[in-house]
Amino acid sequence: MAPTKPTKASNKTRTKSKPGSNSKKPKPSSSAPTGISKRKQKSLSLAKPGGAQKTKSSLHNNPNKRKKRTYKESELDIPTLNSIIPAGIAKPKGEKKGKKFVDDVESMSAIMAMVNAEKEGHIEGKLVRARQLEEVREAKRREAEKREGERRDKFEGVKEGLRKKRGRKGKMVDGEVGKENDGGEKEKSGKKKERKRVSFG
Amino acid sequence: MRPLTEAETKTLFEKIAIYCGRGISHLITDANEGERHVFRVQKDRVYYMRESLANLATSVARDNLLSLGTCLGKFTKTGKFRLHITALPVIAPHARYKVWVKPNGEMPFLYGGNVLKAHVGRWSEDCPEHQGVIVLSMIDTPLGFGVSARSTADARRLDPTGIVTFRQADIGEYLREEDTLFTT
């Protein structure tokens, strides 16, 4: 406790206490031999109703006694919409920590249905793509066949034309020979004719 | 030993669905056998077992438990799932696409070779390219599984030495990988 001057303290008590009141409590006087120690006397004086006495010096010496109050967020009465809760931090209360096990048939079936739908989609896509490719391939093959047929027809036509042309030429050559050699050469030409027939036959 | 998490279940089902399609539902409900079967993870391996067996396993410490039920495969460190040959008896009855191999093609396949067109006895119709298939012998014994190299339509035009199915696992591994197959 801070030391207090007895005179000042007595003055203050005198000013604070009502002048008309006749209090039964003994006035603190250092001179009166009451047998009570100084400290006791002082505490008694403070215990008086309305007699709380605090000097400036005592307030200055005890700064820890009166701390500035810090308010919690809940005490501040802030509207909930205005408070900021970062997305990563917000966690629902009462939820299980750690791994979430799947052991019941329902949740397993749900996962299975999800996986199956995905896989079915993949397989269907593959099949559709394969079918489309097959169609394209078939169309190409048909076109190639058609082109091949056309080419063969053309070739046959040319061949036929050549054959006809040669046949006509052969006849003409025979006629000329017949005109030139009327006699013994006929047999030779006949042999030649036969040979030709064999080769083109 | 613990049940699978949501993400793990999804990864596992995605892998099994490659071979089984909608047949996974039989694995979950398993109505024909009566008792429910469950999936459990021990370290990184996934096992498929009866529920009663899984409940009994809770009395064994994780460190002391080596394996239980049928091992389906394992989760890699990157979170993917790798199917083991031990899963064949589980997935084969529910397979969607199948390839039947003639007796002359069984041994080449069991020694780790791919399935050639000359060895194929039958195949499922409408099988797309790169789809999981189960390889069976002509008497319907599952020999392994793989991935189709060509769609069924393409495979018809293939020459006899062309590959129809790429091998992924075969029952010859029980002998070839004897040392490492069951190590954890």
Side-chain angles (χ1 to χ4, degrees):
Chain A
M1 287 293 279
T4 49
K5 284 178 186 174
T7 50
K8 255 192 180 177
S10 60
N11 284 342
K12 273 207 169 175
T13 48
R14 243 174 257 158
T15 51
K16 281 262 175 182
S17 60
K18 286 174 189 174
S21 68
N22 45 352
S23 60
K24 283 176 184 175
K25 280 178 185 171
K27 282 180 185 175
S29 59
S30 57
S31 57
T34 50
I36 303 167
S37 67
K38 270 187 183 177
R39 189 170 282 188
K40 191 101 180 188
Q41 279 177 8
K42 195 166 182 229
S43 68
L44 280 169
S45 77
L46 282 173
K48 258 188 350 187
Q53 294 174 4
K54 274 177 189 172
T55 54
K56 269 188 178 177
S57 61
S58 70
L59 274 174
H60 279 290
N61 287 339
N62 265 347
N64 290 340
K65 235 179 182 180
R66 269 218 165 194
K67 261 187 185 175
K68 207 177 183 185
R69 197 179 166 194
T70 50
Y71 293 94
K72 285 176 189 169
E73 211 169 278
S74 54
E75 288 170 333
L76 283 174
D77 206 22
I78 300 171
T80 47
L81 279 174
N82 281 352
S83 59
I84 300 161
I85 303 162
I89 289 166
K91 275 180 188 171
K93 276 181 184 175
E95 204 167 86
K96 187 177 169 277
K97 269 184 190 175
K99 284 169 186 157
K100 221 179 184 180
F101 296 125
V102 178
D103 206 19
D104 54 327
V105 177
E106 286 77 36
S107 49
M108 273 174 132
S109 300
I111 294 173
M112 187 206 69
M114 210 169 64
V115 167
N116 260 337
E118 204 175 296
K119 287 279 165 197
E120 286 288 318
H122 276 295
I123 292 172
E124 281 300 310
K126 266 186 194 173
L127 284 173
V128 167
R129 211 182 315 138
R131 227 166 277 153
Q132 279 174 350
L133 280 172
E134 191 63 28
E135 271 172 24
V136 168
R137 227 172 277 151
E138 191 68 22
K140 267 186 187 171
R141 196 178 57 81
R142 232 174 285 143
E143 206 171 296
E145 259 177 25
K146 198 176 155 191
R147 223 179 295 141
E148 184 72 21
E150 274 174 14
R151 220 181 67 190
R152 201 177 297 144
D153 285 350
K154 206 174 167 186
F155 180 63
E156 286 295 324
V158 169
K159 243 166 60 175
E160 202 63 29
L162 274 175
R163 204 177 287 157
K164 274 179 188 168
K165 215 186 248 178
R166 193 159 286 184
R168 226 178 288 147
K169 227 180 190 178
K171 269 182 190 173
M172 279 189 52
V173 168
D174 282 349
E176 279 170 16
V177 170
K179 276 177 190 173
E180 282 173 8
N181 310 320
D182 289 323
E185 296 278 322
K186 267 190 179 176
E187 284 178 10
K188 271 187 180 177
S189 67
K191 272 181 188 175
K192 269 186 183 175
K193 212 178 184 180
E194 269 178 20
R195 211 180 287 157
K196 267 182 188 170
R197 197 167 55 200
V198 168
S199 65
F200 282 111
Chain B
M1 186 161 278
R2 62 169 176 82
L4 276 78
T5 62
E6 272 183 13
E8 283 168 344
T9 311
K10 193 164 176 265
T11 315
L12 173 71
F13 283 179
E14 270 173 2
K15 183 60 90 168
I16 296 176
I18 294 174
Y19 300 94
C20 291
R22 292 195 177 277
I24 310 175
S25 56
H26 298 290
L27 293 181
I28 299 168
T29 53
D30 229 343
N32 53 349
E33 282 189 30
E35 201 175 346
R36 200 185 149 224
H37 281 61
V38 291
F39 299 96
R40 288 285 182 271
V41 187
Q42 167 68 7
K43 283 175 185 164
D44 57 345
R45 282 170 198 252
V46 176
Y47 296 90
Y48 182 63
M49 68 196 80
R50 279 183 286 119
E51 197 174 23
S52 58
L53 197 64
N55 292 339
L56 282 174
T58 53
S59 57
V60 183
R62 281 187 181 185
D63 292 339
N64 300 336
L65 193 63
L66 207 64
S67 83
L68 194 70
T70 308
C71 178
L72 293 185
K74 68 178 215 179
F75 279 105
T76 61
K77 295 247 164 60
T78 52
K80 289 173 188 160
F81 186 74
R82 191 148 295 166
L83 215 56
H84 284 178
I85 185 61
T86 45
L88 187 65
V90 177
I91 59 170
H94 311 294
R96 183 170 182 182
Y97 298 110
K98 295 174 184 177
V99 170
W100 284 266
V101 175
K102 286 193 266 188
N104 63 343
E106 283 178 14
M107 288 317 279
F109 179 70
L110 295 183
Y111 274 100
N114 297 323
V115 179
L116 307 182
K117 194 199 170 187
H119 295 151
V120 175
R122 292 162 66 190
W123 53 43
S124 305
E125 289 300 317
D126 261 355
C127 176
E129 207 176 8
H130 305 136
Q131 179 67 32
V133 289
I134 303 287
V135 182
L136 302 152
S137 69
M138 289 309 277
I139 52 167
D140 273 345
T141 311
L143 298 178
F145 50 84
V147 170
S148 62
R150 305 286 174 100
S151 63
T152 317
D154 282 348
R156 281 208 188 89
R157 282 192 293 272
L158 211 62
D159 58 321
T161 53
I163 294 169
V164 174
T165 305
F166 296 118
R167 183 202 76 96
Q168 284 191 326
D170 62 86
I171 51 173
E173 279 177 36
Y174 280 111
L175 294 180
R176 292 203 308 275
E177 313 286 328
E178 196 179 11
D179 297 333
T180 55
L181 194 61
F182 295 105
T183 51
T184 49

